[in-house]
Amino acid sequence: MNAELTWTAARRIALRSQGMAGARRSEMPTAAVNRRALRRTLERTQLLQIDSVNVFARAHHLPVYTRTGNWDPSALERAVRPGPHRILRESLAHEAAYTDPEVHRLLAFRRRATSQRDWRVIREVAVSSPELFDQVRAALDELGPCSAAAVSRHLGDTDRGEGWGWRRTDSQWAVEYLFRTGELDCVGRNAQFERLYIPAQDEPDPPEKDAAIHELVTRAAIALGIAEVSSVADYFRLRVREVRPAIEELLAQGELREVEVAHPAGPRRMLLHRHAPRPAALRTEALVSPFDPIVFHRPRLESLFDVDYRIGIYTPAAQRMRGYYSLLFLLDDLFPARVDLRADRSRRVLEVRGTYREPLPHLTASRRPADDAVIAALARELERAAQWQGLGEVEVLTGEGTGDLSAALAAHHGRSRAWRMP
């Protein structure tokens, strides 16, 4: 291994590999352009991780916005429906995610493994109610696309047991099991964000596990551009030991090569894909979801971008240091800030509930963008985000707990509201 890359070059390769070099729209595009933006984003990312939180915008809607600007997420809802124009499947890829049909096919080994695993609750259901699975299948045939809760109600199954956590009826557990083993297909979500299921069609000749993992590793390596082995494995939630044979083969074939990235804390050994883009400078201003493939592997986010991120939704409000569901703000090839946003749709206002400077501890002061430049760029991006969400104004909250950049952003933007953390 004799190739060396600067830390900056590695960041730029990673971002360009994820499709972050293009222009971003401010106007709402046509239906055809919407669909094209979705398809092109998926070609870069391979998956869109799904999340139900909708305080600003859902996680699976944000990556297309991050890369292309204004777009209509209804294109995604149409793309998952059955029919000749379907381009998305819900798969357990990186957690629950939308993928193209080929990635879904490659993950058949995971569904097979689930069918062979001992689920205690499913074993107990099979003993206590051996007819339940056939009843669930018959209900789905009768009802058409519907949720597990709707199947449960149809069957008169209302006993959710006791305790806390995922309390489901037996029929809901049966539906979940049939989905995870590939017998059911998810064709969208309802207003409560519950999956809508139908019986799955037979899959055409899914590959064996080793061949599937080789292809998934190839796709992950291309999507990442440059990465440590652990990040390649994490992309499709594989174990490092599972991906090593594929990586060794790709190294031998010249598809990957080892490079050394000069990091201030010491060199990082990474894998560079043969088709990785050149590390040209970027001119980018974009909000990035914490579940975007650019950042969803937290060790990679810290190693490449010097950002330590922990989501706040699981932390009591009084203990949160950096917001509830903060989005990272990308400026060129750095994340100098994060913002905690809330869409107040009743007032048509985008609330900026927190604006936080990223410490970037390994970056020298001369390399960090000045606060004035960050604030000006962030203000432009917030206006674009508000327009995308159909909101008329941006309101910056200031005061205790709203972050070290909130006052400056409020002064720049001109509309603010004092606020105290609950």
Side-chain angles (χ1 to χ4, degrees), residues 15 20-22 24 66 282-286 329-333 377:
L15 290 166
M20 287 306 302
R24 298 173 70 233
T66 296
L282 290 92
R283 296 291 177 263
T284 304
E285 301 167 359
F329 175 59
L330 178 66
L331 179 60
D332 300 335
D333 58 43

Side-chain angles (χ1 to χ4, degrees), residues 131-142:
E131 72 288 347
L132 181 59
F133 286 93
D134 285 340
Q135 290 174 346
V136 166
R137 296 180 183 102
L140 286 165
D141 285 336
E142 180 181 345

Side-chain angles (χ1 to χ4, degrees), residues 98-408:
Y98 290 118
T99 70
D100 67 21
E102 178 58 18
V103 169
H104 181 81
R105 190 179 77 90
L106 291 169
L107 291 166
F109 72 89
R110 185 167 289 164
R111 295 187 288 279
R112 289 195 300 268
T114 300
S115 70
Q116 296 161 7
R117 192 175 301 135
D118 181 19
W119 284 32
R120 181 183 59 81
V121 65
I122 296 300
R123 176 164 36 85
E124 291 173 355
V125 168
V127 172
S128 63
S129 305
E131 72 288 347
L132 181 59
F133 286 93
D134 285 340
Q135 290 174 346
V136 166
R137 296 180 183 102
L140 286 165
D141 285 336
E142 180 181 345
L143 298 173
C146 65
S147 68
V151 171
S152 188
R153 288 191 297 270
H154 181 76
L155 297 176
D157 184 7
T158 59
D159 183 6
R160 294 177 179 271
E162 297 178 352
W164 60 278
W166 287 106
R167 297 196 301 119
R168 294 170 170 160
T169 66
D170 286 351
S171 54
Q172 286 176 307
W173 278 115
V175 169
E176 178 75 12
Y177 178 77
L178 293 173
F179 170 68
R180 288 176 174 265
T181 57
E183 190 170 332
L184 297 183
D185 183 9
C186 174
V187 294
R189 301 277 180 144
N190 63 15
Q192 292 74 43
F193 207 66
E194 298 169 310
R195 290 189 183 108
L196 298 175
Y197 299 98
I198 62 172
Q201 302 294 316
D202 290 338
E203 293 183 310
D205 300 323
E208 293 301 316
K209 180 178 179 179
D210 289 349
I213 288 177
H214 187 281
E215 178 60 20
L216 290 170
V217 168
T218 300
R219 287 173 177 248
I222 294 172
L224 293 166
I226 186 168
E228 293 174 292
V229 172
S230 60
S231 295
V232 175
D234 178 76
Y235 208 84
F236 289 107
R237 284 292 198 250
L238 298 166
R239 295 182 177 88
V240 168
R241 62 177 172 78
E242 289 180 304
V243 305
R244 283 201 184 278
I247 286 174
E248 293 299 326
E249 187 173 345
L250 291 169
L251 285 167
Q253 294 170 345
E255 294 296 304
L256 293 176
R257 63 185 175 113
E258 292 184 321
V259 297
E260 192 170 89
V261 174
H263 188 281
R268 301 282 196 268
R269 180 173 292 188
M270 294 192 176
L271 301 170
L272 180 68
H273 195 273
R274 182 165 65 93
H275 297 304
R278 295 178 61 81
L282 290 92
R283 296 291 177 263
T284 304
E285 301 167 359
L287 294 172
V288 180
S289 159
F291 298 119
D292 190 297
I294 295 171
V295 302
F296 61 24
H297 190 221
R298 304 295 190 240
R300 173 178 173 84
L301 175 61
E302 188 166 5
S303 177
L304 268 184
F305 296 98
D306 214 22
V307 172
D308 179 12
Y309 184 96
R310 179 175 295 180
I311 200 163
I313 57 177
Y314 306 113
T315 303
Q319 298 175 28
R320 287 183 202 130
M321 302 298 294
R322 299 192 143 220
Y324 173 74
Y325 193 83
S326 293
L327 307 182
L328 290 164
F329 175 59
L330 178 66
L331 179 60
D332 300 335
D333 58 43
L334 296 172
F335 289 107
R338 71 180 72 176
V339 287
D340 190 20
L341 304 181
R342 175 179 176 268
D344 186 338
R345 303 193 189 279
S346 64
R347 295 193 299 139
R348 295 191 64 244
V349 168
L350 176 60
E351 286 185 353
V352 185
R353 298 168 72 84
T355 314
Y356 309 92
R357 182 190 293 109
E358 289 297 333
L360 305 178
H362 292 101
L363 208 64
T364 61
S366 62
R367 295 299 312 279
R368 296 176 194 162
D371 284 355
D372 287 351
V374 173
I375 292 297
L378 177 56
R380 289 191 293 269
E381 176 61 9
L382 291 170
E383 291 287 349
R384 181 186 290 114
Q387 182 183 14
W388 173 48
Q389 288 294 300
L391 305 172
E393 295 184 83
V394 177
E395 182 178 78
V396 182
L397 276 60
T398 61
E400 182 183 350
T402 60
D404 42 9
L405 294 178
S406 62

